[in-house]
Amino acid sequence: MKVTVEIPDETAKLLGLTEENAARMLLEDAVVEAYRADKIGTRLLREILGLSWHEKEALLLKHKVFYEITPEEIERDAENSRRAREANAARKTAA
């Protein structure tokens, strides 16, 4: 889809838009808002914008989109990490 948007020069200046970056910045804003609203996931966000995992993380940080992690998820991740460390130590001891 191709969309043409007229933006007054003063508004474009305030938003930091130039003819060279306007299309990309507006696309990024639309995609980030779709992600924030749970309309798309990270895979599609990366695909649409052609980003690596690290570039996606930087973009979300720039737009102040943070993961909502529950205490239960933190505890589960900590337990999984502990088990992985123990399994790794056991393999090294057995070798």
Side-chain angles (χ1 to χ4, degrees), residues 41-78:
T42 55
R43 183 192 58 77
L44 189 53
L45 179 141
R46 288 181 54 205
E47 185 179 307
I48 292 168
L49 298 176
L51 300 177
S52 70
W53 185 89
H54 293 287
E55 291 167 329
K56 180 257 314 171
E57 290 295 307
L59 178 70
L60 293 177
L61 184 61
K62 178 177 115 179
H63 286 271
K64 296 180 173 51
V65 178
F66 305 106
Y67 297 107
E68 293 183 24
I69 302 174
T70 66
E72 293 79 16
E73 290 172 312
I74 293 171
E75 289 174 18
R76 185 186 66 235
D77 288 349

Side-chain angles (χ1 to χ4, degrees), residues 11 16 29 43 45 82 93:
T11 303
D29 287 348
R43 183 192 58 77
L45 179 141
R82 184 188 61 74
T93 303

Side-chain angles (χ1 to χ4, degrees), residues 82-92:
R82 184 188 61 74
R83 285 187 193 145
R85 280 192 310 276
E86 289 173 356
N88 192 32
R91 274 191 297 258
K92 286 181 181 179

